[in-house]
Amino acid sequence: MLDSKKTIEESVFQAESAGVAGVLVTKETGYAPTMDLIKRAKKASKKTLVGIGSGFSEENARQILPLVDYVVVGSALKIDGNADNEVDEKKVESIMKLVVKLRKEND
């Protein structure tokens, strides 16, 4: 949230009022925000895309993808999951195959 004293709904409203293109719901590197927080952000959004910026993985893709418009993935696609390492092309290929499959299922 932009301010820990604000609800996610207030933060989304403030972001939309400022004209943002998207709202990024996050927790911390490697940890996905709760499904409840994602759902609340999506429900509060009137016109803004809602995505997540941490913790997206093949293990939680089936639960998260139907709820969001986009995901930002970093360390999950790096060798050994370390943000300082090179991108692991096999991980990218694997997660993208899953994303394409799940998006087709949800369309």
Side-chain angles (χ1 to χ4, degrees):
M1 286 184 254
L2 300 174
D3 179 337
S4 62
K5 295 178 182 142
K6 292 180 186 171
T7 66
I8 190 70
E9 292 83 1
E10 291 169 321
S11 293
V12 169
F13 176 78
Q14 181 182 8
E16 286 189 331
S17 296
V20 300
V23 174
L24 189 65
V25 182
T26 189
K27 188 170 182 179
E28 64 180 278
T29 299
Y31 297 93
T34 66
M35 297 301 127
D36 179 63
L37 194 62
I38 297 168
K39 288 176 185 176
R40 288 172 48 208
K42 190 69 175 170
K43 184 175 180 183
S45 174
K46 303 294 183 230
K47 58 186 177 210
T48 304
L49 299 174
V50 175
I52 68 158
S54 62
F56 183 77
S57 67
E58 288 187 55
E59 291 75 29
N60 63 20
R62 189 168 295 283
Q63 293 87 20
I64 291 176
L65 279 179
L67 303 177
V68 298
D69 300 300
Y70 66 98
V71 298
V72 176
V73 185
S75 59
L77 300 178
K78 298 293 189 102
I79 295 171
D80 297 327
N82 184 328
D84 294 327
N85 289 343
E86 297 291 319
V87 171
D88 183 328
E89 292 180 24
K90 289 179 183 176
K91 286 184 179 181
V92 173
E93 185 177 318
S94 178
I95 203 164
M96 287 309 302
K97 281 183 181 177
L98 178 60
V99 168
V100 168
K101 176 184 177 224
L102 293 174
R103 287 291 192 203
K104 285 180 181 177
E105 288 176 8
N106 290 318
D107 282 343

mmCIF file of all heavy atoms in Angstrom, residues 35-70:
data_model
loop_
_atom_site.group_PDB
_atom_site.id
_atom_site.type_symbol
_atom_site.label_atom_id
_atom_site.label_comp_id
_atom_site.label_asym_id
_atom_site.label_seq_id
_atom_site.Cartn_x
_atom_site.Cartn_y
_atom_site.Cartn_z
ATOM 1 N N MET A 35 -4.517 -13.764 -1.278
ATOM 2 C CA MET A 35 -5.593 -13.768 -2.263
ATOM 3 C C MET A 35 -6.642 -12.723 -1.884
ATOM 4 O O MET A 35 -7.199 -12.049 -2.742
ATOM 5 C CB MET A 35 -6.245 -15.143 -2.379
ATOM 6 C CG MET A 35 -5.343 -16.255 -2.869
ATOM 7 S SD MET A 35 -4.655 -15.951 -4.488
ATOM 8 C CE MET A 35 -2.933 -16.202 -4.117
ATOM 9 N N ASP A 36 -6.893 -12.575 -0.590
ATOM 10 C CA ASP A 36 -7.862 -11.590 -0.120
ATOM 11 C C ASP A 36 -7.452 -10.180 -0.528
ATOM 12 O O ASP A 36 -8.274 -9.403 -1.014
ATOM 13 C CB ASP A 36 -8.023 -11.682 1.401
ATOM 14 C CG ASP A 36 -8.996 -10.647 1.934
ATOM 15 O OD1 ASP A 36 -10.186 -10.705 1.558
ATOM 16 O OD2 ASP A 36 -8.563 -9.762 2.705
ATOM 17 N N LEU A 37 -6.180 -9.848 -0.353
ATOM 18 C CA LEU A 37 -5.706 -8.509 -0.705
ATOM 19 C C LEU A 37 -5.822 -8.273 -2.209
ATOM 20 O O LEU A 37 -6.253 -7.205 -2.646
ATOM 21 C CB LEU A 37 -4.262 -8.320 -0.239
ATOM 22 C CG LEU A 37 -3.737 -6.897 -0.243
ATOM 23 C CD1 LEU A 37 -4.543 -6.017 0.710
ATOM 24 C CD2 LEU A 37 -2.261 -6.878 0.135
ATOM 25 N N ILE A 38 -5.479 -9.281 -2.999
ATOM 26 C CA ILE A 38 -5.594 -9.162 -4.456
ATOM 27 C C ILE A 38 -7.059 -8.963 -4.849
ATOM 28 O O ILE A 38 -7.383 -8.075 -5.648
ATOM 29 C CB ILE A 38 -5.016 -10.405 -5.157
ATOM 30 C CG1 ILE A 38 -3.517 -10.543 -4.868
ATOM 31 C CG2 ILE A 38 -5.274 -10.338 -6.660
ATOM 32 C CD1 ILE A 38 -2.940 -11.887 -5.269
ATOM 33 N N LYS A 39 -7.944 -9.764 -4.283
ATOM 34 C CA LYS A 39 -9.375 -9.650 -4.597
ATOM 35 C C LYS A 39 -9.928 -8.288 -4.205
ATOM 36 O O LYS A 39 -10.725 -7.698 -4.947
ATOM 37 C CB LYS A 39 -10.165 -10.745 -3.882
ATOM 38 C CG LYS A 39 -9.960 -12.121 -4.454
ATOM 39 C CD LYS A 39 -10.692 -13.171 -3.628
ATOM 40 C CE LYS A 39 -10.409 -14.565 -4.111
ATOM 41 N NZ LYS A 39 -11.035 -15.591 -3.272
ATOM 42 N N ARG A 40 -9.516 -7.789 -3.055
ATOM 43 C CA ARG A 40 -9.990 -6.473 -2.603
ATOM 44 C C ARG A 40 -9.503 -5.362 -3.523
ATOM 45 O O ARG A 40 -10.260 -4.427 -3.842
ATOM 46 C CB ARG A 40 -9.552 -6.224 -1.164
ATOM 47 C CG ARG A 40 -10.314 -7.077 -0.158
ATOM 48 C CD ARG A 40 -9.767 -6.974 1.245
ATOM 49 N NE ARG A 40 -9.559 -5.603 1.655
ATOM 50 C CZ ARG A 40 -8.639 -5.231 2.558
ATOM 51 N NH1 ARG A 40 -7.874 -6.132 3.138
ATOM 52 N NH2 ARG A 40 -8.510 -3.962 2.885
ATOM 53 N N ALA A 41 -8.261 -5.455 -3.977
ATOM 54 C CA ALA A 41 -7.732 -4.447 -4.900
ATOM 55 C C ALA A 41 -8.491 -4.492 -6.220
ATOM 56 O O ALA A 41 -8.865 -3.455 -6.770
ATOM 57 C CB ALA A 41 -6.239 -4.677 -5.135
ATOM 58 N N LYS A 42 -8.735 -5.686 -6.713
ATOM 59 C CA LYS A 42 -9.458 -5.840 -7.989
ATOM 60 C C LYS A 42 -10.882 -5.316 -7.875
ATOM 61 O O LYS A 42 -11.374 -4.613 -8.766
ATOM 62 C CB LYS A 42 -9.448 -7.322 -8.395
ATOM 63 C CG LYS A 42 -9.943 -7.579 -9.771
ATOM 64 C CD LYS A 42 -8.998 -7.048 -10.824
ATOM 65 C CE LYS A 42 -9.496 -7.461 -12.197
ATOM 66 N NZ LYS A 42 -8.777 -6.794 -13.256
ATOM 67 N N LYS A 43 -11.540 -5.616 -6.764
ATOM 68 C CA LYS A 43 -12.912 -5.150 -6.567
ATOM 69 C C LYS A 43 -12.968 -3.621 -6.459
ATOM 70 O O LYS A 43 -13.900 -2.987 -6.952
ATOM 71 C CB LYS A 43 -13.495 -5.784 -5.302
ATOM 72 C CG LYS A 43 -14.946 -5.450 -5.066
ATOM 73 C CD LYS A 43 -15.500 -6.189 -3.875
ATOM 74 C CE LYS A 43 -16.962 -5.829 -3.662
ATOM 75 N NZ LYS A 43 -17.520 -6.471 -2.489
ATOM 76 N N ALA A 44 -11.961 -3.031 -5.841
ATOM 77 C CA ALA A 44 -11.929 -1.582 -5.662
ATOM 78 C C ALA A 44 -11.598 -0.840 -6.952
ATOM 79 O O ALA A 44 -11.946 0.329 -7.113
ATOM 80 C CB ALA A 44 -10.913 -1.211 -4.585
ATOM 81 N N SER A 45 -10.944 -1.523 -7.878
ATOM 82 C CA SER A 45 -10.532 -0.899 -9.124
ATOM 83 C C SER A 45 -11.721 -0.682 -10.044
ATOM 84 O O SER A 45 -12.475 -1.603 -10.331
ATOM 85 C CB SER A 45 -9.502 -1.783 -9.824
ATOM 86 O OG SER A 45 -9.196 -1.257 -11.088
ATOM 87 N N LYS A 46 -11.876 0.522 -10.506
ATOM 88 C CA LYS A 46 -12.968 0.846 -11.419
ATOM 89 C C LYS A 46 -12.513 0.759 -12.876
ATOM 90 O O LYS A 46 -13.272 0.357 -13.742
ATOM 91 C CB LYS A 46 -13.494 2.260 -11.153
ATOM 92 C CG LYS A 46 -13.957 2.476 -9.728
ATOM 93 C CD LYS A 46 -15.176 1.645 -9.416
ATOM 94 C CE LYS A 46 -15.656 1.935 -8.009
ATOM 95 N NZ LYS A 46 -15.876 0.781 -7.204
ATOM 96 N N LYS A 47 -11.273 1.157 -13.136
ATOM 97 C CA LYS A 47 -10.793 1.211 -14.518
ATOM 98 C C LYS A 47 -9.316 0.863 -14.641
ATOM 99 O O LYS A 47 -8.793 0.780 -15.746
ATOM 100 C CB LYS A 47 -11.020 2.610 -15.077
ATOM 101 C CG LYS A 47 -10.317 3.682 -14.256
ATOM 102 C CD LYS A 47 -10.640 5.080 -14.711
ATOM 103 C CE LYS A 47 -9.944 6.049 -13.760
ATOM 104 N NZ LYS A 47 -10.591 7.271 -13.574
ATOM 105 N N THR A 48 -8.666 0.642 -13.539
ATOM 106 C CA THR A 48 -7.225 0.434 -13.521
ATOM 107 C C THR A 48 -6.882 -1.050 -13.507
ATOM 108 O O THR A 48 -7.530 -1.834 -12.822
ATOM 109 C CB THR A 48 -6.623 1.108 -12.261
ATOM 110 O OG1 THR A 48 -6.996 2.480 -12.262
ATOM 111 C CG2 THR A 48 -5.124 1.008 -12.247
ATOM 112 N N LEU A 49 -5.868 -1.422 -14.254
ATOM 113 C CA LEU A 49 -5.385 -2.796 -14.237
ATOM 114 C C LEU A 49 -4.796 -3.110 -12.862
ATOM 115 O O LEU A 49 -4.194 -2.252 -12.232
ATOM 116 C CB LEU A 49 -4.314 -2.996 -15.305
ATOM 117 C CG LEU A 49 -4.748 -2.750 -16.745
ATOM 118 C CD1 LEU A 49 -3.553 -2.834 -17.682
ATOM 119 C CD2 LEU A 49 -5.822 -3.730 -17.154
ATOM 120 N N VAL A 50 -4.958 -4.344 -12.429
ATOM 121 C CA VAL A 50 -4.419 -4.778 -11.135
ATOM 122 C C VAL A 50 -3.514 -5.973 -11.374
ATOM 123 O O VAL A 50 -3.900 -6.935 -12.048
ATOM 124 C CB VAL A 50 -5.552 -5.162 -10.153
ATOM 125 C CG1 VAL A 50 -4.976 -5.734 -8.862
ATOM 126 C CG2 VAL A 50 -6.426 -3.946 -9.851
ATOM 127 N N GLY A 51 -2.308 -5.883 -10.836
ATOM 128 C CA GLY A 51 -1.352 -6.974 -10.973
ATOM 129 C C GLY A 51 -0.660 -7.259 -9.656
ATOM 130 O O GLY A 51 -0.899 -6.589 -8.661
ATOM 131 N N ILE A 52 0.189 -8.289 -9.675
ATOM 132 C CA ILE A 52 1.003 -8.548 -8.489
ATOM 133 C C ILE A 52 2.465 -8.405 -8.862
ATOM 134 O O ILE A 52 2.862 -8.623 -10.006
ATOM 135 C CB ILE A 52 0.741 -9.926 -7.843
ATOM 136 C CG1 ILE A 52 1.221 -11.065 -8.727
ATOM 137 C CG2 ILE A 52 -0.704 -10.084 -7.451
ATOM 138 C CD1 ILE A 52 1.476 -12.333 -7.958
ATOM 139 N N GLY A 53 3.274 -8.052 -7.869
ATOM 140 C CA GLY A 53 4.688 -7.799 -8.115
ATOM 141 C C GLY A 53 5.628 -8.634 -7.280
ATOM 142 O O GLY A 53 6.812 -8.328 -7.215
ATOM 143 N N SER A 54 5.113 -9.647 -6.638
ATOM 144 C CA SER A 54 6.000 -10.525 -5.872
ATOM 145 C C SER A 54 5.348 -11.881 -5.683
ATOM 146 O O SER A 54 4.133 -12.000 -5.635
ATOM 147 C CB SER A 54 6.316 -9.916 -4.499
ATOM 148 O OG SER A 54 5.135 -9.774 -3.732
ATOM 149 N N GLY A 55 6.182 -12.901 -5.624
ATOM 150 C CA GLY A 55 5.712 -14.224 -5.245
ATOM 151 C C GLY A 55 4.987 -15.051 -6.284
ATOM 152 O O GLY A 55 4.496 -16.128 -5.974
ATOM 153 N N PHE A 56 4.923 -14.595 -7.524
ATOM 154 C CA PHE A 56 4.242 -15.382 -8.550
ATOM 155 C C PHE A 56 5.102 -16.578 -8.918
ATOM 156 O O PHE A 56 6.308 -16.459 -9.126
ATOM 157 C CB PHE A 56 3.963 -14.533 -9.788
ATOM 158 C CG PHE A 56 3.205 -15.261 -10.850
ATOM 159 C CD1 PHE A 56 1.840 -15.459 -10.718
ATOM 160 C CD2 PHE A 56 3.841 -15.756 -11.975
ATOM 161 C CE1 PHE A 56 1.123 -16.136 -11.690
ATOM 162 C CE2 PHE A 56 3.133 -16.428 -12.953
ATOM 163 C CZ PHE A 56 1.771 -16.617 -12.813
ATOM 164 N N SER A 57 4.469 -17.757 -9.016
ATOM 165 C CA SER A 57 5.213 -18.975 -9.339
ATOM 166 C C SER A 57 4.304 -19.971 -10.048
ATOM 167 O O SER A 57 3.085 -19.781 -10.100
ATOM 168 C CB SER A 57 5.755 -19.613 -8.059
ATOM 169 O OG SER A 57 4.681 -20.096 -7.267
ATOM 170 N N GLU A 58 4.900 -21.029 -10.534
ATOM 171 C CA GLU A 58 4.104 -22.084 -11.153
ATOM 172 C C GLU A 58 3.166 -22.707 -10.132
ATOM 173 O O GLU A 58 2.067 -23.141 -10.477
ATOM 174 C CB GLU A 58 5.011 -23.160 -11.760
ATOM 175 C CG GLU A 58 5.715 -22.674 -13.014
ATOM 176 C CD GLU A 58 6.473 -23.769 -13.716
ATOM 177 O OE1 GLU A 58 5.856 -24.811 -14.034
ATOM 178 O OE2 GLU A 58 7.680 -23.582 -13.959
ATOM 179 N N GLU A 59 3.567 -22.742 -8.886
ATOM 180 C CA GLU A 59 2.759 -23.352 -7.833
ATOM 181 C C GLU A 59 1.484 -22.568 -7.524
ATOM 182 O O GLU A 59 0.470 -23.156 -7.156
ATOM 183 C CB GLU A 59 3.586 -23.524 -6.548
ATOM 184 C CG GLU A 59 4.690 -24.558 -6.643
ATOM 185 C CD GLU A 59 5.903 -24.096 -7.457
ATOM 186 O OE1 GLU A 59 6.188 -22.894 -7.509
ATOM 187 O OE2 GLU A 59 6.546 -24.962 -8.070
ATOM 188 N N ASN A 60 1.515 -21.236 -7.648
ATOM 189 C CA ASN A 60 0.322 -20.456 -7.309
ATOM 190 C C ASN A 60 -0.343 -19.799 -8.525
ATOM 191 O O ASN A 60 -1.326 -19.072 -8.379
ATOM 192 C CB ASN A 60 0.632 -19.408 -6.236
ATOM 193 C CG ASN A 60 1.643 -18.375 -6.677
ATOM 194 O OD1 ASN A 60 1.889 -18.163 -7.856
ATOM 195 N ND2 ASN A 60 2.252 -17.716 -5.710
ATOM 196 N N ALA A 61 0.168 -20.061 -9.707
ATOM 197 C CA ALA A 61 -0.365 -19.421 -10.919
ATOM 198 C C ALA A 61 -1.846 -19.694 -11.122
ATOM 199 O O ALA A 61 -2.609 -18.808 -11.501
ATOM 200 C CB ALA A 61 0.427 -19.883 -12.140
ATOM 201 N N ARG A 62 -2.272 -20.921 -10.862
ATOM 202 C CA ARG A 62 -3.676 -21.288 -11.073
ATOM 203 C C ARG A 62 -4.618 -20.453 -10.187
ATOM 204 O O ARG A 62 -5.720 -20.113 -10.599
ATOM 205 C CB ARG A 62 -3.865 -22.778 -10.806
ATOM 206 C CG ARG A 62 -5.227 -23.298 -11.205
ATOM 207 C CD ARG A 62 -5.316 -24.799 -11.220
ATOM 208 N NE ARG A 62 -4.475 -25.451 -12.204
ATOM 209 C CZ ARG A 62 -4.740 -25.530 -13.505
ATOM 210 N NH1 ARG A 62 -5.835 -24.989 -13.974
ATOM 211 N NH2 ARG A 62 -3.936 -26.146 -14.338
ATOM 212 N N GLN A 63 -4.184 -20.103 -8.981
ATOM 213 C CA GLN A 63 -5.016 -19.296 -8.087
ATOM 214 C C GLN A 63 -4.936 -17.805 -8.421
ATOM 215 O O GLN A 63 -5.921 -17.088 -8.332
ATOM 216 C CB GLN A 63 -4.586 -19.478 -6.615
ATOM 217 C CG GLN A 63 -4.836 -20.843 -6.045
ATOM 218 C CD GLN A 63 -3.674 -21.805 -6.319
ATOM 219 O OE1 GLN A 63 -2.560 -21.399 -6.592
ATOM 220 N NE2 GLN A 63 -3.954 -23.090 -6.253
ATOM 221 N N ILE A 64 -3.753 -17.339 -8.802
ATOM 222 C CA ILE A 64 -3.541 -15.900 -8.986
ATOM 223 C C ILE A 64 -3.996 -15.387 -10.350
ATOM 224 O O ILE A 64 -4.635 -14.335 -10.428
ATOM 225 C CB ILE A 64 -2.062 -15.541 -8.736
ATOM 226 C CG1 ILE A 64 -1.747 -15.705 -7.234
ATOM 227 C CG2 ILE A 64 -1.748 -14.126 -9.197
ATOM 228 C CD1 ILE A 64 -0.302 -15.485 -6.859
ATOM 229 N N LEU A 65 -3.685 -16.074 -11.413
ATOM 230 C CA LEU A 65 -3.966 -15.542 -12.760
ATOM 231 C C LEU A 65 -5.418 -15.144 -12.996
ATOM 232 O O LEU A 65 -5.659 -14.113 -13.634
ATOM 233 C CB LEU A 65 -3.494 -16.508 -13.838
ATOM 234 C CG LEU A 65 -2.004 -16.449 -14.145
ATOM 235 C CD1 LEU A 65 -1.641 -17.473 -15.214
ATOM 236 C CD2 LEU A 65 -1.566 -15.063 -14.582
ATOM 237 N N PRO A 66 -6.402 -15.905 -12.507
ATOM 238 C CA PRO A 66 -7.778 -15.465 -12.753
ATOM 239 C C PRO A 66 -8.136 -14.146 -12.041
ATOM 240 O O PRO A 66 -9.112 -13.498 -12.407
ATOM 241 C CB PRO A 66 -8.626 -16.611 -12.181
ATOM 242 C CG PRO A 66 -7.722 -17.787 -12.151
ATOM 243 C CD PRO A 66 -6.354 -17.237 -11.899
ATOM 244 N N LEU A 67 -7.330 -13.760 -11.074
ATOM 245 C CA LEU A 67 -7.642 -12.580 -10.275
ATOM 246 C C LEU A 67 -6.985 -11.294 -10.776
ATOM 247 O O LEU A 67 -7.405 -10.207 -10.399
ATOM 248 C CB LEU A 67 -7.210 -12.800 -8.817
ATOM 249 C CG LEU A 67 -7.789 -14.013 -8.100
ATOM 250 C CD1 LEU A 67 -7.195 -14.122 -6.706
ATOM 251 C CD2 LEU A 67 -9.303 -13.923 -8.040
ATOM 252 N N VAL A 68 -5.930 -11.417 -11.582
ATOM 253 C CA VAL A 68 -5.143 -10.238 -11.943
ATOM 254 C C VAL A 68 -5.097 -10.022 -13.450
ATOM 255 O O VAL A 68 -5.378 -10.919 -14.233
ATOM 256 C CB VAL A 68 -3.701 -10.340 -11.388
ATOM 257 C CG1 VAL A 68 -3.703 -10.389 -9.870
ATOM 258 C CG2 VAL A 68 -2.955 -11.532 -11.974
ATOM 259 N N ASP A 69 -4.694 -8.807 -13.807
ATOM 260 C CA ASP A 69 -4.535 -8.459 -15.216
ATOM 261 C C ASP A 69 -3.101 -8.691 -15.687
ATOM 262 O O ASP A 69 -2.861 -8.859 -16.882
ATOM 263 C CB ASP A 69 -4.898 -6.987 -15.427
ATOM 264 C CG ASP A 69 -6.332 -6.712 -15.026
ATOM 265 O OD1 ASP A 69 -7.232 -7.324 -15.621
ATOM 266 O OD2 ASP A 69 -6.556 -5.896 -14.103
ATOM 267 N N TYR A 70 -2.162 -8.676 -14.763
ATOM 268 C CA TYR A 70 -0.753 -8.873 -15.115
ATOM 269 C C TYR A 70 0.040 -9.285 -13.882
ATOM 270 O O TYR A 70 -0.428 -9.139 -12.752
ATOM 271 C CB TYR A 70 -0.149 -7.608 -15.739
ATOM 272 C CG TYR A 70 -0.062 -6.434 -14.787
ATOM 273 C CD1 TYR A 70 1.127 -6.140 -14.129
ATOM 274 C CD2 TYR A 70 -1.159 -5.609 -14.548
ATOM 275 C CE1 TYR A 70 1.214 -5.060 -13.260
ATOM 276 C CE2 TYR A 70 -1.080 -4.538 -13.686
ATOM 277 C CZ TYR A 70 0.112 -4.266 -13.044
ATOM 278 O OH TYR A 70 0.191 -3.207 -12.181
#
